[in-house]
Amino acid sequence: MLKKENSVKALDPDFGSERQGYEILVAGESQIANSVRVGPDGRIYSAFQSGSDYGIAVLTEAGILDSSFGIDGIVTGSFSKEHERNPASNGQSIVFTEDGKIILIGDIYFPPGVGNPESYPALARFDTAGVLDSEFGMGGHLILNAPFQRYVNSTFPEVSELHNSSTGTFATSINIQSKSNAWWDTRIYLVHPYALESQGAFFAAALLIVLDTDGNMAPEFNAGQPLIVGRERSNTAIFTLYAEENLILLGGLVQPDQGASRGAFFRYNVDGSPHEGYGKQGKDWDEGMWPYSLTRRDDNSFLAAGFRSADHLPVRGACVAINTDDGSKCDDFNGGSTLISDFAQSWNGVATQLDGKLLFVGKYAGAGVDNLVCSRMTAAGMLDPTYVGTGWEVFPQNVFRGGATGVSIQTSKARMLVSGWLFREPGMGEALIAAFKL
């Protein structure tokens, strides 16, 4: 167990409109910044949820909302506001195209009432000023519902709950870099919940979908069709996704029929086939580990971060290093075992610095508080004392609730950027981006 007292703060005083180390994007009920990413133009992008609408925020390098984008740096909208069922829209991830367009990845949720609850992946494409691209989908929006309707079955509560809540749509992408050091995305990888029928019973699974930046199914992946991720007669929930040119990794949870839940990792080739030699048919397991985020650790391994749950023990942040080729645990990381951090309730985001050090963000595990926590560790899984003297810190300490959802590195400013939310009082949330000096 890792445990240290901490009082030092590393918020960057040069970040934000009030130079306080963070920027509030929006405030109100159900406001959460779901991700943060540095764009090819150097600006900072965040996908967020604003009530029942999706949102994109764009900040300058200094962390100030960019008035040249949308209205004062913010664009909010709905993937289908006119529908009679009044669906809710959510923004999860940002993707960039070679010609400068911005793609928001999220999902649309149709609540129960007129029909059964359903959710579908949804995308929106914008120009650099935040104007919807009318040539993309229908008026700038694309809902991937037609290929999936026959998969959706919400008549079973246990499937419906998993389908529509704990595993919403999320995405990652593969990017290339030009000689000018700018980069853009070439393919989009989506994961979306899916209800699978097996021998007369329904089980939760997931769909892995690969698109180009025009929203078309990539023909080289699984013959242009979604790939079902799961195990026969097991409930499978996928929580995280990582992709490179020759590597597709997924992390989640598998609960066999009549069995206990356990962490699961899947590796696929770029054509959608399971990677030969990785675990069992492209799958590997970790008892009790719930992976929420993946990052490349080095050339031969990746790191999974999330939380660990065990009988009679509190839920705590956890991470494990796994060999990319065969799925075995890496002996050079915490002796080949899962590392538990007792100051974190969960690790929701992880990133790797150029020097191999690891950045973690999540929820603090202190008594009576539920705040954002961040940490830096060495490549071997030891707390890094060169980061604020202790290797971890909590922000802030004077709010009702808070937490982190994602992390990115702003290399040009030597900052760790963190997306998340604050509740200063019950029912009143603030989506924010915070910056910590590295």
Side-chain angles (χ1 to χ4, degrees):
M1 290 282 196
L2 301 175
K3 187 173 184 179
K4 284 183 178 290
E5 296 301 321
N6 178 66
S7 60
V8 181
K9 298 291 183 289
L11 281 172
D12 190 336
D14 295 326
F15 186 89
S17 57
E18 298 184 13
R19 300 177 68 86
Q20 58 188 357
Y22 62 92
E23 186 81 341
I24 302 297
L25 309 181
V26 288
E29 187 176 359
S30 299
Q31 313 289 332
I32 299 176
N34 288 316
S35 63
V36 60
R37 190 176 181 189
V38 179
D41 54 6
R43 296 192 296 180
I44 300 166
Y45 292 77
S46 177
F48 65 90
Q49 176 184 353
S50 180
S52 60
D53 290 340
Y54 67 69
I56 300 179
V58 178
L59 293 75
T60 66
E61 286 187 328
I64 301 169
L65 285 167
D66 189 344
S67 59
S68 69
F69 183 85
I71 300 176
D72 296 328
I74 298 289
V75 168
T76 59
S78 169
F79 293 116
S80 184
K81 180 68 79 175
E82 293 76 22
H83 196 281
E84 62 180 0
R85 292 171 63 182
N86 192 27
S89 299
N90 185 28
Q92 291 282 6
S93 309
I94 301 288
V95 170
F96 307 103
T97 68
E98 184 177 359
D99 59 357
K101 300 292 177 62
I102 304 158
I103 299 178
L104 173 71
I105 313 296
D107 53 58
I108 183 169
Y109 170 63
F110 294 85
V114 178
N116 291 324
E118 301 170 2
S119 67
Y120 301 102
L123 302 84
R125 193 165 73 183
F126 303 85
D127 65 17
T128 55
V131 178
L132 276 169
D133 180 1
S134 60
E135 296 182 359
F136 182 80
M138 295 183 62
H141 291 133
L142 176 63
I143 301 174
L144 301 178
N145 62 325
F148 309 104
Q149 272 183 323
R150 63 190 176 90
Y151 300 136
V152 176
N153 188 309
S154 300
T155 60
F156 297 84
E158 67 275 16
V159 173
S160 173
E161 181 180 354
L162 187 61
H163 180 89
N164 290 305
S165 58
S166 62
T167 54
T169 300
F170 55 90
T172 188
S173 52
I174 288 181
N175 62 77
I176 57 176
Q177 193 169 5
S178 71
K179 292 181 180 179
S180 64
N181 208 37
W183 53 266
W184 57 85
D185 298 301
T186 60
R187 292 194 296 280
I188 304 169
Y189 289 76
L190 300 172
V191 168
H192 189 76
Y194 162 73
L196 176 68
E197 183 177 7
S198 176
Q199 300 177 24
F202 281 85
F203 296 89
L207 291 176
L208 175 58
I209 308 154
V210 183
L211 308 172
D212 63 23
T213 54
D214 288 322
N216 303 310
M217 296 282 185
E220 68 275 11
F221 180 82
N222 200 37
Q225 297 297 316
L227 178 69
I228 300 173
V229 179
R231 186 182 178 194
E232 186 176 356
R233 299 194 65 79
S234 297
N235 286 313
T236 301
I238 299 298
F239 299 120
T240 181
L241 168 65
Y242 180 88
E244 293 179 354
E245 284 292 345
N246 299 307
L247 175 71
I248 305 170
L249 295 170
L250 295 91
L253 192 71
V254 167
Q255 182 183 28
D257 192 15
Q258 308 293 326
S261 300
R262 53 185 175 178
F265 301 97
F266 302 80
R267 179 177 176 181
Y268 293 99
N269 300 315
V270 293
D271 62 359
S273 61
H275 183 73
E276 185 177 356
Y278 182 85
K280 184 179 180 180
Q281 296 181 332
K283 311 179 188 71
D284 192 37
W285 317 105
D286 186 276
E287 298 292 342
M289 173 77 179
W290 293 47
Y292 276 174
S293 184
L294 297 171
T295 187
R296 172 72 91 164
R297 179 172 168 254
D298 54 34
D299 290 342
N300 301 311
S301 66
F302 66 94
L303 192 92
F307 70 88
R308 183 133 189 175
S309 177
D311 291 341
H312 311 299
L313 293 175
V315 174
R316 287 293 180 261
C319 53
V320 61
I322 298 175
N323 187 289
T324 307
D325 292 327
D326 61 15
S328 62
K329 292 184 179 180
C330 298
D331 291 337
D332 63 343
F333 185 84
N334 197 40
S337 63
T338 302
L339 177 65
I340 311 296
S341 304
D342 70 349
F343 55 84
Q345 189 178 59
S346 66
W347 292 126
N348 299 332
V350 62
T352 307
Q353 293 185 178
L354 293 177
D355 61 3
K357 291 183 177 180
L358 304 165
L359 304 176
F360 299 84
V361 298
K363 293 174 67 177
Y364 178 53
V369 293
D370 189 13
N371 290 342
L372 182 155
V373 62
C374 52
S375 176
R376 185 165 71 185
M377 299 185 193
T378 67
M382 303 295 292
L383 282 172
D384 180 10
T386 66
Y387 179 72
V388 301
T390 60
W392 67 280
E393 60 188 338
V394 177
F395 161 79
Q397 295 181 334
N398 60 345
V399 300
F400 175 66
R401 289 182 62 195
T405 57
V407 60
S408 186
I409 299 173
Q410 189 182 19
T411 305
S412 63
K413 300 292 184 179
R415 291 175 178 145
M416 171 171 51
L417 301 175
V418 181
S419 58
W421 79 96
L422 301 178
F423 286 158
R424 298 187 188 274
E425 58 184 70
M428 289 300 296
E430 296 174 341
L432 87 160
I433 302 298
F436 298 87
K437 294 179 292 184
L438 293 174

